[in-house]
Protein backbone atom coordinates (compact mmCIF):
# COMPACT_ATOMS: atom_id res chain seq x y z
CA UNK A 1 0.00 0.00 0.00
CA UNK A 2 1.35 3.43 -0.94
CA UNK A 3 -0.65 5.24 1.73
CA UNK A 4 1.74 6.62 4.42
CA UNK A 5 4.79 5.24 2.58
CA UNK A 6 6.44 8.65 2.29
CA UNK A 7 5.98 9.36 5.99
CA UNK A 8 7.24 5.95 7.06
CA UNK A 9 10.29 6.28 4.83
CA UNK A 10 11.07 9.56 6.60
CA UNK A 11 10.66 7.82 9.95
CA UNK A 12 13.03 5.04 8.88
CA UNK A 13 15.56 7.63 7.72
CA UNK A 14 15.66 9.60 10.97
CA UNK A 15 14.70 6.88 13.49
CA UNK A 16 15.87 3.57 12.01
CA UNK A 17 13.86 0.59 13.21
CA UNK A 18 11.25 2.59 15.11
CA UNK A 19 8.39 2.02 12.68
CA UNK A 20 8.85 -1.74 12.62
CA UNK A 21 9.21 -1.83 16.41
CA UNK A 22 5.96 0.07 16.91
CA UNK A 23 4.12 -1.94 14.24
CA UNK A 24 4.98 -5.17 16.06
CA UNK A 25 3.20 -4.13 19.27
CA UNK A 26 -0.61 -4.02 19.65
CA UNK A 27 -2.03 -0.50 19.78
CA UNK A 28 -3.54 -1.04 23.24
CA UNK A 29 -0.11 -1.85 24.67
CA UNK A 30 1.52 1.18 23.05
CA UNK A 31 -1.14 3.48 24.49
CA UNK A 32 -1.07 2.36 28.11
CA UNK A 33 1.03 3.96 30.87
CA UNK A 34 4.63 2.68 30.95
CA UNK A 35 4.44 1.82 27.26
CA UNK A 36 7.62 0.76 25.48
CA UNK A 37 7.08 3.53 22.94
CA UNK A 38 9.35 6.12 24.56
CA UNK A 39 12.08 3.55 25.13
CA UNK A 40 11.99 2.57 21.45
CA UNK A 41 11.92 6.26 20.46
CA UNK A 42 15.09 6.95 22.45
CA UNK A 43 16.82 3.82 21.15
CA UNK A 44 16.12 4.92 17.57
CA UNK A 45 17.65 8.37 18.10
CA UNK A 46 14.31 10.20 18.11
CA UNK A 47 15.22 12.91 20.64
CA UNK A 48 17.79 14.35 18.22
CA UNK A 49 15.35 14.77 15.31
CA UNK A 50 15.42 18.57 14.98
CA UNK A 51 18.89 19.13 16.47
CA UNK A 52 21.10 20.71 13.76
CA UNK A 53 23.95 18.74 12.22
CA UNK A 54 26.53 21.11 13.75
CA UNK A 55 25.31 20.02 17.18
CA UNK A 56 25.47 16.27 16.47
CA UNK A 57 21.86 15.87 15.34
CA UNK A 58 20.41 14.80 11.97
CA UNK A 59 18.98 18.28 11.38
CA UNK A 60 15.51 17.35 10.11
CA UNK A 61 13.76 20.34 8.59
CA UNK A 62 10.12 21.17 9.23
CA UNK A 63 8.79 19.12 6.29
CA UNK A 64 10.74 16.03 7.32
CA UNK A 65 9.72 16.47 10.95
CA UNK A 66 5.98 16.66 10.25
CA UNK A 67 6.24 13.52 8.12
CA UNK A 68 8.01 11.71 10.94
CA UNK A 69 5.35 12.74 13.44
CA UNK A 70 2.49 11.67 11.18
CA UNK A 71 4.12 8.26 10.78
CA UNK A 72 4.64 7.85 14.54
CA UNK A 73 1.07 8.91 15.31
CA UNK A 74 -0.31 6.35 12.86
CA UNK A 75 1.33 3.69 15.05
CA UNK A 76 1.08 5.25 18.52
CA UNK A 77 -0.85 8.49 19.12
CA UNK A 78 0.52 8.77 22.68
CA UNK A 79 4.11 8.61 21.51
CA UNK A 80 3.56 11.30 18.89
CA UNK A 81 1.82 13.68 21.30
CA UNK A 82 4.45 13.19 24.01
CA UNK A 83 7.37 13.70 21.64
CA UNK A 84 5.76 16.76 20.04
CA UNK A 85 6.34 18.60 23.31
CA UNK A 86 9.97 17.48 23.26
CA UNK A 87 10.50 18.70 19.69
CA UNK A 88 8.78 22.01 20.48
CA UNK A 89 11.17 22.58 23.38
CA UNK A 90 14.24 21.54 21.39
CA UNK A 91 13.25 23.73 18.42
CA UNK A 92 12.97 26.67 20.83
CA UNK A 93 16.48 25.92 22.12
CA UNK A 94 17.76 25.80 18.53
CA UNK A 95 16.23 29.20 17.83
CA UNK A 96 17.58 30.63 21.07
CA UNK A 97 21.05 29.34 20.25
CA UNK A 98 21.12 31.51 17.13
CA UNK A 99 20.45 34.62 19.22
CA UNK A 100 22.46 34.25 22.43
CA UNK A 101 25.86 33.25 23.73
CA UNK A 102 24.42 30.95 26.38
CA UNK A 103 24.65 27.22 27.04
CA UNK A 104 22.00 26.18 24.53
CA UNK A 105 24.58 24.60 22.21
CA UNK A 106 25.78 22.34 25.03
CA UNK A 107 22.23 21.24 25.79
CA UNK A 108 21.56 20.53 22.11
CA UNK A 109 24.64 18.35 21.84
CA UNK A 110 23.70 16.51 25.03
CA UNK A 111 20.17 15.93 23.72
CA UNK A 112 21.55 14.50 20.48
CA UNK A 113 24.34 12.37 21.94
CA UNK A 114 22.65 11.14 25.11
CA UNK A 115 19.05 10.93 23.85
CA UNK A 116 17.73 13.35 26.45
CA UNK A 117 13.98 14.00 26.56
CA UNK A 118 12.74 17.54 27.21
CA UNK A 119 9.31 18.19 28.72
CA UNK A 120 7.43 21.44 28.24
CA UNK A 121 6.09 23.42 31.18
CA UNK A 122 4.44 26.13 29.10
CA UNK A 123 0.74 26.95 29.70
CA UNK A 124 -0.32 24.27 27.23
CA UNK A 125 -3.33 22.41 28.55
CA UNK A 126 -4.53 24.97 31.10
CA UNK A 127 -8.14 25.86 30.35
CA UNK A 128 -8.78 29.58 29.99
CA UNK A 129 -5.13 30.53 30.24
CA UNK A 130 -3.07 32.11 27.50
CA UNK A 131 -0.27 29.94 26.15
CA UNK A 132 2.30 32.60 27.06
CA UNK A 133 1.12 32.88 30.66
CA UNK A 134 3.91 31.89 33.07
CA UNK A 135 3.40 28.47 34.60
CA UNK A 136 5.89 29.04 37.40
CA UNK A 137 6.46 31.86 39.88
CA UNK A 138 10.10 32.97 39.80
CA UNK A 139 12.24 35.00 42.18
CA UNK A 140 15.92 35.88 42.01
CA UNK A 141 17.76 35.04 45.24
CA UNK A 142 21.51 35.06 45.83
CA UNK A 143 22.22 35.01 42.12
CA UNK A 144 19.93 32.05 41.45
CA UNK A 145 16.38 31.75 40.17
CA UNK A 146 13.94 30.14 42.61
CA UNK A 147 10.91 28.47 41.02
CA UNK A 148 7.55 27.54 42.49
CA UNK A 149 4.50 26.27 40.67
CA UNK A 150 3.02 23.32 38.84
CA UNK A 151 2.24 22.14 35.34
CA UNK A 152 -0.63 19.77 34.64
CA UNK A 153 -0.84 17.97 32.39
CA UNK A 154 2.84 17.73 31.56
CA UNK A 155 3.74 15.15 28.92
CA UNK A 156 6.89 13.07 29.50
CA UNK A 157 6.46 13.66 33.24
CA UNK A 158 8.23 10.42 34.16
CA UNK A 159 10.67 10.00 31.28
CA UNK A 160 11.91 13.58 30.88
CA UNK A 161 15.51 14.51 31.52
CA UNK A 162 14.88 18.26 31.44
CA UNK A 163 11.86 20.53 32.00
CA UNK A 164 11.40 23.87 30.23
CA UNK A 165 9.05 26.32 31.96
CA UNK A 166 7.79 29.80 31.11
CA UNK A 167 8.51 32.47 33.74
CA UNK A 168 8.71 36.24 34.08
CA UNK A 169 11.78 38.00 35.43
CA UNK A 170 12.57 41.63 36.20
CA UNK A 171 14.24 43.39 33.28
CA UNK A 172 18.01 43.60 33.55
CA UNK A 173 17.66 47.41 33.73
CA UNK A 174 15.20 47.03 36.61
CA UNK A 175 12.21 48.44 34.74
CA UNK A 176 9.31 46.13 34.03
CA UNK A 177 9.29 42.38 33.39
CA UNK A 178 10.12 40.16 30.47
CA UNK A 179 9.30 36.58 29.61
CA UNK A 180 11.98 33.93 30.05
CA UNK A 181 12.39 30.17 29.82
CA UNK A 182 13.79 28.21 32.76
CA UNK A 183 15.59 24.89 32.17
CA UNK A 184 15.23 22.49 35.09
CA UNK A 185 17.18 19.19 35.05
CA UNK A 186 15.31 16.11 36.29
CA UNK A 187 16.24 15.25 39.85
CA UNK A 188 16.69 18.88 40.90
CA UNK A 189 15.71 19.13 44.59
CA UNK A 190 12.11 20.29 44.91
CA UNK A 191 10.83 18.73 41.67
CA UNK A 192 8.15 16.08 42.10
CA UNK A 193 5.65 14.25 39.86
CA UNK A 194 2.08 13.53 40.94
CA UNK A 195 -0.68 11.49 39.27
CA UNK A 196 -3.06 13.54 37.15
CA UNK A 197 -4.14 11.84 33.90
CA UNK A 198 -7.24 9.70 34.50
CA UNK A 199 -8.34 9.09 30.90
CA UNK A 200 -7.44 5.95 28.97
CA UNK A 201 -6.96 8.14 25.86
CA UNK A 202 -3.31 9.11 25.27
CA UNK A 203 -2.30 7.55 28.59
CA UNK A 204 1.07 6.58 27.13
CA UNK A 205 2.08 10.24 26.84
CA UNK A 206 2.87 10.36 30.59
CA UNK A 207 0.81 13.53 31.07
CA UNK A 208 0.95 13.93 34.84
CA UNK A 209 1.41 16.87 37.21
CA UNK A 210 4.92 18.25 37.72
CA UNK A 211 5.36 20.35 40.87
CA UNK A 212 8.29 22.66 41.63
CA UNK A 213 8.74 23.72 45.25
CA UNK A 214 11.58 26.20 45.95
CA UNK A 215 13.58 24.78 43.05
CA UNK A 216 16.86 26.66 42.58
CA UNK A 217 18.61 26.88 39.22
CA UNK A 218 21.61 28.98 38.15
CA UNK A 219 21.06 32.00 35.88
CA UNK A 220 22.92 30.06 33.16
CA UNK A 221 19.83 27.85 32.86
CA UNK A 222 17.50 30.78 32.15
CA UNK A 223 16.94 31.98 28.59
CA UNK A 224 15.57 35.51 28.39
CA UNK A 225 13.29 36.35 25.46
CA UNK A 226 12.49 39.70 23.91
CA UNK A 227 8.81 39.46 24.84
CA UNK A 228 6.97 41.30 27.59
CA UNK A 229 4.02 39.86 29.47
CA UNK A 230 1.40 41.25 27.06
CA UNK A 231 0.69 38.19 24.87
CA UNK A 232 2.84 39.52 22.02
CA UNK A 233 5.18 36.94 20.51
CA UNK A 234 8.83 37.70 19.93
CA UNK A 235 10.71 35.95 17.13
CA UNK A 236 11.98 33.13 19.34
CA UNK A 237 8.52 32.33 20.65
CA UNK A 238 6.95 32.68 17.21
CA UNK A 239 9.31 30.08 15.79
CA UNK A 240 8.80 27.73 18.73
CA UNK A 241 5.02 27.86 18.55
CA UNK A 242 5.11 27.58 14.77
CA UNK A 243 6.87 24.24 15.26
CA UNK A 244 4.32 23.31 17.92
CA UNK A 245 1.28 23.91 15.71
CA UNK A 246 2.72 22.12 12.68
CA UNK A 247 3.96 19.07 14.58
CA UNK A 248 0.76 18.76 16.62
CA UNK A 249 -1.46 19.09 13.56
CA UNK A 250 0.57 16.51 11.63
CA UNK A 251 0.35 14.13 14.58
CA UNK A 252 -3.43 14.23 14.78
CA UNK A 253 -3.60 13.86 11.01
CA UNK A 254 -1.54 10.73 11.65
CA UNK A 255 -4.09 9.45 14.17
CA UNK A 256 -6.90 9.91 11.66
CA UNK A 257 -4.67 8.35 9.00
CA UNK A 258 -4.53 5.16 11.06
CA UNK A 259 -8.30 4.90 10.66
CA UNK A 260 -8.13 5.64 6.94
CA UNK A 261 -5.46 2.96 6.55
CA UNK A 262 -7.80 0.43 8.14
CA UNK A 263 -10.60 1.45 5.75
CA UNK A 264 -8.31 1.05 2.74
CA UNK A 265 -7.09 -2.34 3.94
CA UNK A 266 -10.64 -3.61 4.51
CA UNK A 267 -11.63 -2.77 0.90
CA UNK A 268 -15.31 -3.13 1.73
CA UNK A 269 -16.22 0.55 1.78
CA UNK A 270 -17.69 2.23 -1.27
CA UNK A 271 -14.84 3.41 -3.57
CA UNK A 272 -16.26 6.93 -3.60
CA UNK A 273 -16.11 7.02 0.20
CA UNK A 274 -12.56 5.68 0.30
CA UNK A 275 -11.48 8.25 -2.27
CA UNK A 276 -13.18 10.99 -0.27
CA UNK A 277 -11.30 9.98 2.87
CA UNK A 278 -8.01 10.01 0.95
CA UNK A 279 -8.69 13.42 -0.57
CA UNK A 280 -9.62 14.93 2.79
CA UNK A 281 -6.72 13.57 4.84
CA UNK A 282 -4.07 14.06 2.15
CA UNK A 283 -5.19 17.62 1.46
CA UNK A 284 -4.90 18.43 5.16
CA UNK A 285 -1.38 17.02 5.25
CA UNK A 286 -0.45 18.88 2.07
CA UNK A 287 -1.48 22.13 3.75
CA UNK A 288 0.71 21.33 6.76
CA UNK A 289 3.63 20.53 4.48
CA UNK A 290 3.08 23.77 2.58
CA UNK A 291 3.49 25.86 5.72
CA UNK A 292 6.38 23.65 6.85
CA UNK A 293 8.14 24.08 3.49
CA UNK A 294 7.85 27.83 3.79
CA UNK A 295 9.32 27.62 7.26
CA UNK A 296 12.19 25.46 6.02
CA UNK A 297 12.97 28.19 3.45
CA UNK A 298 12.98 31.00 5.98
CA UNK A 299 9.31 32.01 6.12
CA UNK A 300 8.92 32.83 9.80
CA UNK A 301 7.27 35.51 11.91
CA UNK A 302 3.66 36.45 12.50
CA UNK A 303 2.44 35.67 8.97
CA UNK A 304 3.85 32.13 9.11
CA UNK A 305 2.30 31.59 12.54
CA UNK A 306 -1.07 32.86 11.33
CA UNK A 307 -0.81 30.48 8.37
CA UNK A 308 -0.06 27.59 10.74
CA UNK A 309 -3.05 28.42 12.94
CA UNK A 310 -5.41 28.55 9.96
CA UNK A 311 -3.96 25.24 8.75
CA UNK A 312 -4.45 23.71 12.19
CA UNK A 313 -8.08 24.84 12.62
CA UNK A 314 -8.97 23.64 9.13
CA UNK A 315 -7.31 20.30 9.88
CA UNK A 316 -9.40 19.93 13.06
CA UNK A 317 -12.52 19.96 10.94
CA UNK A 318 -11.07 17.52 8.40
CA UNK A 319 -9.92 15.13 11.12
CA UNK A 320 -13.37 15.11 12.71
CA UNK A 321 -15.07 14.30 9.41
CA UNK A 322 -12.50 11.67 8.45
CA UNK A 323 -12.72 9.94 11.84
CA UNK A 324 -16.53 9.75 11.76
CA UNK A 325 -16.69 8.50 8.19
CA UNK A 326 -13.91 5.99 8.74
CA UNK A 327 -15.69 4.50 11.75
CA UNK A 328 -18.91 4.30 9.74
CA UNK A 329 -17.12 2.69 6.78
CA UNK A 330 -15.41 0.08 8.94
CA UNK A 331 -18.77 -0.95 10.35
CA UNK A 332 -20.12 -2.20 13.62
CA UNK A 333 -18.19 -5.46 13.74
CA UNK A 334 -14.84 -3.67 13.49
CA UNK A 335 -15.99 -1.30 16.24
CA UNK A 336 -17.04 -4.01 18.68
CA UNK A 337 -14.46 -6.68 17.90
CA UNK A 338 -11.49 -4.53 18.93
CA UNK A 339 -10.96 -1.34 20.92
CA UNK A 340 -8.59 0.08 18.28
CA UNK A 341 -11.21 1.82 16.13
CA UNK A 342 -12.99 3.45 19.06
CA UNK A 343 -9.66 4.43 20.60
CA UNK A 344 -8.31 6.11 17.46
CA UNK A 345 -11.59 7.96 16.96
CA UNK A 346 -11.43 9.26 20.54
CA UNK A 347 -7.75 10.21 20.32
CA UNK A 348 -8.22 12.09 17.05
CA UNK A 349 -10.58 14.55 18.74
CA UNK A 350 -7.95 15.87 21.15
CA UNK A 351 -6.34 18.35 18.73
CA UNK A 352 -9.10 20.78 19.71
CA UNK A 353 -7.80 20.80 23.29
CA UNK A 354 -4.31 22.08 22.45
CA UNK A 355 -3.59 25.80 22.61
CA UNK A 356 -4.37 28.28 21.38
CA UNK A 357 -8.03 27.30 21.05
CA UNK A 358 -10.07 28.39 18.06
CA UNK A 359 -12.33 30.53 20.26
CA UNK A 360 -9.40 32.34 21.91
CA UNK A 361 -7.80 33.11 18.55
CA UNK A 362 -10.96 34.20 16.71
CA UNK A 363 -10.65 37.91 17.45
CA UNK A 364 -6.82 38.02 17.31
CA UNK A 365 -6.85 36.44 13.84
CA UNK A 366 -9.49 38.89 12.63
CA UNK A 367 -7.45 41.77 14.07
CA UNK A 368 -4.26 40.46 12.48
CA UNK A 369 -5.74 40.23 8.99
CA UNK A 370 -7.19 43.71 9.50
CA UNK A 371 -3.66 45.00 10.02
CA UNK A 372 -2.97 44.68 13.75
CA UNK A 373 -0.05 42.75 15.35
CA UNK A 374 -0.84 39.10 16.12
CA UNK A 375 -1.68 38.50 19.76
CA UNK A 376 -1.87 34.99 21.18
CA UNK A 377 -4.80 34.16 23.43
Amino acid sequence: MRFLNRERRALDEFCPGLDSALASVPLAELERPESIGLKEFKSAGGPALVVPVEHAGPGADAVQAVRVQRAIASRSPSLAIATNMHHFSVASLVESNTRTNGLEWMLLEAIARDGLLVASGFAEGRTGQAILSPTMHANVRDGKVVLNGRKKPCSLAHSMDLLTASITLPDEDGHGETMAVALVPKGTPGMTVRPFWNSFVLAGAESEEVVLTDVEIPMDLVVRTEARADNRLDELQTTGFLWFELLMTASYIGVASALVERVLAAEKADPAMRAELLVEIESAMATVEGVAAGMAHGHRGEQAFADALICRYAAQDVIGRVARRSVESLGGMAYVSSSDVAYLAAASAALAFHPPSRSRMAQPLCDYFAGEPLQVG
Side-chain angles (χ1 to χ4, degrees), residues 5-19:
N5 269 359
R6 179 178 56 187
E7 288 77 10
R8 286 171 180 161
R9 284 198 302 269
L11 180 55
D12 281 337
E13 176 184 352
F14 289 99
C15 304
L18 180 57
D19 186 63

Side-chain angles (χ1 to χ4, degrees), residues 245-292:
E245 295 299 334
L246 292 175
L247 291 168
M248 198 63 70
T249 303
S251 293
Y252 283 100
I253 289 173
V255 179
S257 297
L259 285 168
V260 174
E261 186 174 34
R262 283 162 169 77
V263 174
L264 296 175
E267 295 185 345
K268 67 176 183 178
D270 177 75
M273 175 61 77
R274 281 184 279 153
E276 182 179 341
L277 292 173
L278 283 170
V279 168
E280 288 249 71
I281 203 68
E282 289 301 297
S283 64
M285 188 61 187
T287 304
V288 170
E289 288 195 9
V291 179

Side-chain angles (χ1 to χ4, degrees), residues 216-255:
E216 292 188 355
I217 59 171
M219 289 298 298
D220 287 345
L221 292 181
V222 175
V223 179
R224 289 182 180 268
T225 73
E226 300 168 6
R228 294 185 176 273
D230 60 0
N231 286 355
R232 284 286 307 278
L233 289 167
D234 69 353
E235 290 186 27
L236 188 156
Q237 290 170 319
T238 301
T239 300
F241 290 125
L242 180 54
W243 275 102
F244 173 85
E245 295 299 334
L246 292 175
L247 291 168
M248 198 63 70
T249 303
S251 293
Y252 283 100
I253 289 173
V255 179

Side-chain angles (χ1 to χ4, degrees), residues 313-371:
Y313 299 138
Q316 282 180 206
D317 295 333
V318 169
I319 290 166
R321 290 194 300 269
V322 165
R324 289 192 299 273
R325 292 170 184 170
S326 294
V327 171
E328 181 180 356
S329 297
L330 287 166
M333 289 306 297
Y335 191 84
V336 301
S337 62
S338 167
S339 63
D340 288 4
V341 172
Y343 179 84
L344 291 169
S348 70
L351 177 56
F353 307 140
H354 292 280
S357 69
R358 195 195 308 247
S359 60
R360 291 189 73 99
M361 287 305 300
Q363 190 61 51
L365 279 173
C366 291
D367 292 342
Y368 174 73
F369 281 98

